[in-house]
Amino acid sequence: MKQTPVKLGPLALLLTVISICLTVMAILTYVTAGADLRLAEKYADTVSRRYALETEGQELLRDLGQGSGEAVLERDGAVLTVRVENGQVTEWRHEVLWTENDDIGNLWIKD
């Protein structure tokens, strides 16, 4: 009986391509997870700042009771404006102070 030799070249090439694809996918997954973590931390900071301002605004409403008044509360670049007239809230506005990012220069003007 004659045996034909097994050619491992195509199989080795296929396994090499599969290994490279899996490595690239693993690296992309790791980088994406890191970016998601940074975004989640930034969002958590924003929400905690907003809730702290909400708490201060609620305490202001409690202190005013049925009176009238206006207050501007600020914390870490976030501003809450509260206006109360005769015990009724007429304004409750959240704002975030915006600052321009000059790190990358002006993208729209040619030098």
Side-chain angles (χ1 to χ4, degrees):
M1 254 184 154
K2 227 177 174 187
Q3 288 186 337
T4 58
V6 177
K7 296 185 180 185
L8 297 176
L11 183 60
L13 183 62
L14 179 65
L15 289 176
T16 303
V17 168
I18 289 172
S19 298
I20 291 171
C21 288
L22 287 175
T23 304
V24 168
M25 294 297 279
I27 291 170
L28 288 174
T29 301
Y30 181 75
V31 170
T32 302
D36 285 346
L37 176 64
R38 286 188 299 277
L39 185 62
E41 288 171 346
K42 189 181 230 183
Y43 181 70
D45 181 51
T46 301
V47 169
S48 65
R49 184 177 346 128
R50 183 175 181 140
Y51 284 172
L53 278 175
E54 286 280 337
T55 302
E56 289 181 30
Q58 292 293 332
E59 289 172 358
L60 175 72
L61 286 178
R62 183 192 65 213
D63 294 341
L64 281 176
Q66 294 297 318
S68 297
E70 181 176 341
V72 178
L73 307 170
E74 183 176 348
R75 176 176 286 202
D76 300 328
V79 178
L80 173 66
T81 305
V82 179
R83 182 177 295 140
V84 178
E85 294 175 4
N86 298 325
Q88 297 291 321
V89 177
T90 57
E91 182 178 8
W92 188 278
R93 182 175 15 138
H94 281 276
E95 297 175 314
V96 177
L97 301 176
W98 181 77
T99 56
E100 183 178 2
N101 185 358
D102 290 337
D103 294 343
I104 58 175
N106 193 336
L107 299 175
W108 307 111
I109 297 176
K110 290 183 180 179
D111 290 332

Tab-separated table of all heavy atoms in Angstrom, residues 32-69:
chain	number	residue	atom	x	y	z
A	32	THR	N	-10.966	48.686	24.219
A	32	THR	CA	-12.341	49.155	24.316
A	32	THR	C	-12.840	49.121	25.761
A	32	THR	O	-13.536	50.039	26.210
A	32	THR	CB	-13.260	48.303	23.427
A	32	THR	OG1	-12.776	48.368	22.087
A	32	THR	CG2	-14.690	48.799	23.467
A	33	ALA	N	-12.477	48.072	26.495
A	33	ALA	CA	-12.887	47.990	27.903
A	33	ALA	C	-12.273	49.120	28.717
A	33	ALA	O	-12.933	49.705	29.583
A	33	ALA	CB	-12.488	46.640	28.487
A	34	GLY	N	-11.023	49.472	28.440
A	34	GLY	CA	-10.384	50.586	29.137
A	34	GLY	C	-11.073	51.908	28.832
A	34	GLY	O	-11.292	52.733	29.725
A	35	ALA	N	-11.435	52.122	27.557
A	35	ALA	CA	-12.139	53.355	27.184
A	35	ALA	C	-13.515	53.406	27.840
A	35	ALA	O	-13.952	54.471	28.298
A	35	ALA	CB	-12.265	53.438	25.668
A	36	ASP	N	-14.205	52.277	27.899
A	36	ASP	CA	-15.511	52.233	28.560
A	36	ASP	C	-15.387	52.542	30.051
A	36	ASP	O	-16.242	53.224	30.623
A	36	ASP	CB	-16.166	50.866	28.377
A	36	ASP	CG	-16.717	50.656	26.979
A	36	ASP	OD1	-16.841	51.656	26.236
A	36	ASP	OD2	-17.027	49.501	26.637
A	37	LEU	N	-14.333	52.048	30.675
A	37	LEU	CA	-14.120	52.325	32.100
A	37	LEU	C	-13.896	53.817	32.338
A	37	LEU	O	-14.488	54.400	33.245
A	37	LEU	CB	-12.933	51.523	32.626
A	37	LEU	CG	-12.536	51.791	34.073
A	37	LEU	CD1	-13.665	51.375	35.017
A	37	LEU	CD2	-11.250	51.079	34.424
A	38	ARG	N	-13.061	54.444	31.511
A	38	ARG	CA	-12.813	55.879	31.676
A	38	ARG	C	-14.095	56.686	31.464
A	38	ARG	O	-14.370	57.636	32.195
A	38	ARG	CB	-11.724	56.341	30.714
A	38	ARG	CG	-10.338	55.893	31.119
A	38	ARG	CD	-9.262	56.531	30.264
A	38	ARG	NE	-9.381	56.204	28.854
A	38	ARG	CZ	-8.914	55.091	28.273
A	38	ARG	NH1	-8.314	54.181	29.014
A	38	ARG	NH2	-9.064	54.883	26.986
A	39	LEU	N	-14.891	56.312	30.477
A	39	LEU	CA	-16.146	57.013	30.226
A	39	LEU	C	-17.128	56.822	31.375
A	39	LEU	O	-17.811	57.762	31.794
A	39	LEU	CB	-16.764	56.525	28.920
A	39	LEU	CG	-18.015	57.245	28.454
A	39	LEU	CD1	-17.721	58.718	28.183
A	39	LEU	CD2	-18.561	56.588	27.216
A	40	ALA	N	-17.186	55.622	31.929
A	40	ALA	CA	-18.081	55.361	33.061
A	40	ALA	C	-17.661	56.155	34.292
A	40	ALA	O	-18.518	56.674	35.025
A	40	ALA	CB	-18.104	53.866	33.381
A	41	GLU	N	-16.353	56.276	34.535
A	41	GLU	CA	-15.880	57.071	35.671
A	41	GLU	C	-16.215	58.547	35.487
A	41	GLU	O	-16.619	59.225	36.434
A	41	GLU	CB	-14.378	56.878	35.854
A	41	GLU	CG	-14.007	55.511	36.390
A	41	GLU	CD	-12.518	55.251	36.361
A	41	GLU	OE1	-11.777	56.004	35.696
A	41	GLU	OE2	-12.096	54.277	37.011
A	42	LYS	N	-16.079	59.042	34.270
A	42	LYS	CA	-16.422	60.441	33.994
A	42	LYS	C	-17.918	60.683	34.195
A	42	LYS	O	-18.333	61.685	34.774
A	42	LYS	CB	-16.021	60.768	32.559
A	42	LYS	CG	-16.113	62.219	32.197
A	42	LYS	CD	-15.717	62.404	30.750
A	42	LYS	CE	-14.703	63.479	30.624
A	42	LYS	NZ	-14.324	63.761	29.243
A	43	TYR	N	-18.736	59.743	33.735
A	43	TYR	CA	-20.182	59.861	33.908
A	43	TYR	C	-20.565	59.799	35.389
A	43	TYR	O	-21.424	60.549	35.845
A	43	TYR	CB	-20.895	58.766	33.120
A	43	TYR	CG	-22.396	58.826	33.233
A	43	TYR	CD1	-23.105	59.856	32.631
A	43	TYR	CD2	-23.096	57.875	33.944
A	43	TYR	CE1	-24.481	59.931	32.736
A	43	TYR	CE2	-24.475	57.942	34.061
A	43	TYR	CZ	-25.159	58.963	33.438
A	43	TYR	OH	-26.513	59.046	33.561
A	44	ALA	N	-19.925	58.907	36.138
A	44	ALA	CA	-20.210	58.794	37.577
A	44	ALA	C	-19.861	60.090	38.298
A	44	ALA	O	-20.592	60.531	39.197
A	44	ALA	CB	-19.443	57.628	38.179
A	45	ASP	N	-18.758	60.728	37.904
A	45	ASP	CA	-18.379	62.004	38.508
A	45	ASP	C	-19.419	63.077	38.194
A	45	ASP	O	-19.809	63.854	39.069
A	45	ASP	CB	-16.999	62.417	38.009
A	45	ASP	CG	-16.536	63.717	38.599
A	45	ASP	OD1	-16.578	63.860	39.840
A	45	ASP	OD2	-16.127	64.616	37.823
A	46	THR	N	-19.874	63.111	36.957
A	46	THR	CA	-20.884	64.093	36.561
A	46	THR	C	-22.186	63.885	37.324
A	46	THR	O	-22.794	64.844	37.816
A	46	THR	CB	-21.150	63.997	35.045
A	46	THR	OG1	-19.929	64.223	34.347
A	46	THR	CG2	-22.182	65.000	34.595
A	47	VAL	N	-22.617	62.643	37.443
A	47	VAL	CA	-23.872	62.349	38.142
A	47	VAL	C	-23.761	62.667	39.627
A	47	VAL	O	-24.681	63.248	40.216
A	47	VAL	CB	-24.276	60.876	37.911
A	47	VAL	CG1	-25.408	60.469	38.835
A	47	VAL	CG2	-24.674	60.672	36.469
A	48	SER	N	-22.636	62.326	40.248
A	48	SER	CA	-22.493	62.618	41.680
A	48	SER	C	-22.463	64.128	41.929
A	48	SER	O	-23.033	64.608	42.913
A	48	SER	CB	-21.246	61.954	42.251
A	48	SER	OG	-20.084	62.492	41.666
A	49	ARG	N	-21.835	64.889	41.036
A	49	ARG	CA	-21.835	66.347	41.167
A	49	ARG	C	-23.250	66.900	41.023
A	49	ARG	O	-23.675	67.757	41.790
A	49	ARG	CB	-20.920	66.949	40.102
A	49	ARG	CG	-20.774	68.436	40.220
A	49	ARG	CD	-19.812	69.043	39.216
A	49	ARG	NE	-18.975	68.102	38.548
A	49	ARG	CZ	-18.832	68.030	37.216
A	49	ARG	NH1	-19.492	68.857	36.445
A	49	ARG	NH2	-18.029	67.151	36.664
A	50	ARG	N	-23.986	66.379	40.056
A	50	ARG	CA	-25.353	66.858	39.849
A	50	ARG	C	-26.241	66.519	41.038
A	50	ARG	O	-27.054	67.329	41.488
A	50	ARG	CB	-25.918	66.248	38.575
A	50	ARG	CG	-27.294	66.750	38.269
A	50	ARG	CD	-27.793	66.231	36.959
A	50	ARG	NE	-29.107	66.760	36.711
A	50	ARG	CZ	-29.530	67.175	35.542
A	50	ARG	NH1	-28.746	67.120	34.510
A	50	ARG	NH2	-30.745	67.640	35.405
A	51	TYR	N	-26.124	65.312	41.572
A	51	TYR	CA	-26.942	64.925	42.723
A	51	TYR	C	-26.577	65.733	43.967
A	51	TYR	O	-27.444	66.034	44.783
A	51	TYR	CB	-26.821	63.434	42.997
A	51	TYR	CG	-27.596	62.570	42.035
A	51	TYR	CD1	-27.451	61.197	42.046
A	51	TYR	CD2	-28.476	63.113	41.107
A	51	TYR	CE1	-28.152	60.389	41.163
A	51	TYR	CE2	-29.175	62.322	40.228
A	51	TYR	CZ	-29.016	60.966	40.258
A	51	TYR	OH	-29.720	60.173	39.390
A	52	ALA	N	-25.301	66.088	44.112
A	52	ALA	CA	-24.913	66.931	45.240
A	52	ALA	C	-25.577	68.305	45.120
A	52	ALA	O	-26.068	68.857	46.119
A	52	ALA	CB	-23.398	67.066	45.304
A	53	LEU	N	-25.611	68.850	43.900
A	53	LEU	CA	-26.295	70.127	43.692
A	53	LEU	C	-27.799	69.984	43.933
A	53	LEU	O	-28.430	70.874	44.503
A	53	LEU	CB	-26.047	70.642	42.276
A	53	LEU	CG	-24.739	71.367	42.050
A	53	LEU	CD1	-24.568	71.712	40.585
A	53	LEU	CD2	-24.664	72.619	42.893
A	54	GLU	N	-28.387	68.873	43.487
A	54	GLU	CA	-29.807	68.630	43.732
A	54	GLU	C	-30.097	68.607	45.234
A	54	GLU	O	-31.097	69.160	45.694
A	54	GLU	CB	-30.232	67.294	43.112
A	54	GLU	CG	-30.342	67.314	41.616
A	54	GLU	CD	-31.640	67.925	41.129
A	54	GLU	OE1	-32.627	67.948	41.894
A	54	GLU	OE2	-31.654	68.382	39.982
A	55	THR	N	-29.223	67.959	45.992
A	55	THR	CA	-29.408	67.887	47.441
A	55	THR	C	-29.360	69.273	48.065
A	55	THR	O	-30.195	69.622	48.915
A	55	THR	CB	-28.331	66.987	48.068
A	55	THR	OG1	-28.412	65.698	47.478
A	55	THR	CG2	-28.504	66.874	49.567
A	56	GLU	N	-28.382	70.088	47.649
A	56	GLU	CA	-28.290	71.453	48.178
A	56	GLU	C	-29.524	72.261	47.797
A	56	GLU	O	-30.029	73.057	48.598
A	56	GLU	CB	-27.022	72.134	47.648
A	56	GLU	CG	-25.747	71.595	48.243
A	56	GLU	CD	-24.527	72.317	47.701
A	56	GLU	OE1	-24.630	73.510	47.354
A	56	GLU	OE2	-23.471	71.672	47.625
A	57	GLY	N	-30.025	72.079	46.569
A	57	GLY	CA	-31.231	72.790	46.139
A	57	GLY	C	-32.450	72.371	46.940
A	57	GLY	O	-33.272	73.215	47.317
A	58	GLN	N	-32.564	71.075	47.225
A	58	GLN	CA	-33.692	70.608	48.044
A	58	GLN	C	-33.613	71.163	49.462
A	58	GLN	O	-34.631	71.508	50.062
A	58	GLN	CB	-33.725	69.082	48.069
A	58	GLN	CG	-34.062	68.450	46.737
A	58	GLN	CD	-35.476	68.736	46.289
A	58	GLN	OE1	-36.365	68.945	47.098
A	58	GLN	NE2	-35.662	68.761	44.978
A	59	GLU	N	-32.400	71.246	50.014
A	59	GLU	CA	-32.237	71.831	51.347
A	59	GLU	C	-32.609	73.309	51.337
A	59	GLU	O	-33.204	73.819	52.295
A	59	GLU	CB	-30.803	71.639	51.822
A	59	GLU	CG	-30.473	70.201	52.160
A	59	GLU	CD	-29.000	69.988	52.441
A	59	GLU	OE1	-28.209	70.961	52.341
A	59	GLU	OE2	-28.634	68.844	52.760
A	60	LEU	N	-32.273	74.007	50.248
A	60	LEU	CA	-32.656	75.410	50.120
A	60	LEU	C	-34.170	75.545	50.089
A	60	LEU	O	-34.741	76.422	50.750
A	60	LEU	CB	-32.046	76.008	48.851
A	60	LEU	CG	-32.463	77.432	48.526
A	60	LEU	CD1	-31.820	78.406	49.506
A	60	LEU	CD2	-32.102	77.786	47.107
A	61	LEU	N	-34.849	74.672	49.347
A	61	LEU	CA	-36.312	74.713	49.308
A	61	LEU	C	-36.911	74.464	50.686
A	61	LEU	O	-37.892	75.100	51.079
A	61	LEU	CB	-36.849	73.668	48.329
A	61	LEU	CG	-36.677	73.968	46.847
A	61	LEU	CD1	-37.211	72.816	46.014
A	61	LEU	CD2	-37.359	75.258	46.473
A	62	ARG	N	-36.332	73.534	51.415
A	62	ARG	CA	-36.819	73.245	52.764
A	62	ARG	C	-36.659	74.462	53.659
A	62	ARG	O	-37.550	74.809	54.439
A	62	ARG	CB	-36.058	72.053	53.337
A	62	ARG	CG	-36.549	71.647	54.719
A	62	ARG	CD	-35.624	70.678	55.390
A	62	ARG	NE	-34.350	71.362	55.636
A	62	ARG	CZ	-33.178	70.762	55.604
A	62	ARG	NH1	-33.076	69.489	55.336
A	62	ARG	NH2	-32.069	71.433	55.833
A	63	ASP	N	-35.525	75.147	53.548
A	63	ASP	CA	-35.273	76.315	54.395
A	63	ASP	C	-36.186	77.492	54.043
A	63	ASP	O	-36.599	78.245	54.922
A	63	ASP	CB	-33.812	76.745	54.292
A	63	ASP	CG	-32.858	75.710	54.865
A	63	ASP	OD1	-33.321	74.848	55.646
A	63	ASP	OD2	-31.656	75.754	54.522
A	64	LEU	N	-36.493	77.636	52.741
A	64	LEU	CA	-37.356	78.748	52.336
A	64	LEU	C	-38.805	78.529	52.755
A	64	LEU	O	-39.513	79.489	53.076
A	64	LEU	CB	-37.298	78.944	50.823
A	64	LEU	CG	-36.072	79.672	50.291
A	64	LEU	CD1	-36.118	79.700	48.777
A	64	LEU	CD2	-35.997	81.082	50.836
A	65	GLY	N	-39.265	77.285	52.736
A	65	GLY	CA	-40.658	77.004	53.104
A	65	GLY	C	-41.612	77.642	52.121
A	65	GLY	O	-41.544	77.393	50.927
A	66	GLN	N	-42.521	78.491	52.609
A	66	GLN	CA	-43.493	79.160	51.748
A	66	GLN	C	-43.024	80.545	51.316
A	66	GLN	O	-43.796	81.297	50.726
A	66	GLN	CB	-44.843	79.275	52.475
A	66	GLN	CG	-45.513	77.956	52.735
A	66	GLN	CD	-45.854	77.237	51.433
A	66	GLN	OE1	-46.323	77.861	50.486
A	66	GLN	NE2	-45.607	75.946	51.397
A	67	GLY	N	-41.779	80.869	51.570
A	67	GLY	CA	-41.262	82.191	51.229
A	67	GLY	C	-40.840	82.290	49.770
A	67	GLY	O	-41.171	81.463	48.943
A	68	SER	N	-40.100	83.357	49.492
A	68	SER	CA	-39.590	83.595	48.150
A	68	SER	C	-38.091	83.799	48.236
A	68	SER	O	-37.558	84.248	49.250
A	68	SER	CB	-40.234	84.837	47.532
A	68	SER	OG	-41.618	84.648	47.388
A	69	GLY	N	-37.419	83.506	47.155
A	69	GLY	CA	-35.981	83.716	47.128
A	69	GLY	C	-35.366	83.150	45.873
A	69	GLY	O	-36.014	82.497	45.068
